[in-house]
Amino acid sequence: RDNKSKQSLEKLAEKGAEKVQATLEEFKEEKGIDEVKVATEAAMEEMLKHPEQKLAVEMIGNINENVSPEVAVNTVIQLTETDQFSEKTAIEVATKTDFSDEHIMTIIEEGSIGYKGKTVIAETLKDEKIREEVQQQLDNEEEQQCLKKLHSIYLLCDEDINESRLKENLDKVMNN
């Protein structure tokens, strides 16, 4: 049963990638139309027909290998902005698909993914020096956000604040 569902999943992914390829080729010659954007929309449309994590991983992998890495990257970024797919799906797609370091950087920078997810994706960078730089940058950004939250809590501190509410806000920020 698992083998049969895996085969049907692969067929769906291949059909979806073929439709994306056809869309990309159809709009390639037309001026004024961003064929990558149109192909990305076609990929999202195909994935939304069957919003499953495994299908998304398989289809984007096919698109990356056989169609266009740019379309695959833009589709991952789009995944992070839809309600049908979770951040976890986008992270799994980004880590299991063989993207170049440049494409991984684009996903980290443009995707609506939290700190932990970006950290997991950054681990897939092949160049160790770039990986360390990106991790440091992510850590710095997260630290700055926490400091801003702490500053806003500090500004709330006056004699009228409830201590338990203050402790609750501090605990939430410090857990990050």
Side-chain angles (χ1 to χ4, degrees), residues 158-173:
D158 59 15
E159 296 170 20
D160 297 332
I161 194 165
N162 182 338
E163 286 180 22
S164 64
R165 189 169 151 227
L166 175 65
K167 182 183 180 323
E168 197 175 288
N169 287 340
L170 279 172
D171 288 344
K172 190 186 302 182
V173 172

Side-chain angles (χ1 to χ4, degrees), residues 111-135:
S112 299
I113 302 171
Y115 168 75
K116 289 180 181 176
K118 287 182 179 183
T119 302
V120 170
I121 294 171
E123 288 295 318
T124 64
L125 288 165
K126 294 162 187 78
D127 187 337
E128 193 172 320
K129 184 178 178 184
I130 293 174
R131 184 180 331 127
E132 290 173 7
E133 289 174 9
V134 168
Q135 189 59 54

Side-chain angles (χ1 to χ4, degrees), residues 33-95:
I33 296 179
D34 184 2
E35 69 271 1
V36 173
K37 184 177 180 181
V38 174
T40 301
E41 290 170 3
M44 286 302 298
E45 198 174 290
E46 288 300 312
M47 284 191 293
L48 289 174
K49 289 179 183 176
H50 306 281
E52 297 177 34
Q53 184 171 343
K54 291 178 182 178
L55 176 64
V57 171
E58 189 75 28
M59 187 181 296
I60 293 176
N62 277 342
I63 293 170
N64 186 50
E65 289 175 22
N66 304 321
V67 181
S68 164
E70 288 77 23
V71 173
V73 168
N74 287 342
T75 305
V76 173
I77 292 168
Q78 285 291 326
L79 277 179
T80 65
E81 298 171 1
T82 61
D83 295 334
Q84 290 82 353
F85 291 99
S86 66
E87 182 178 304
K88 183 180 176 185
T89 302
I91 293 167
E92 184 166 341
V93 170
T95 55

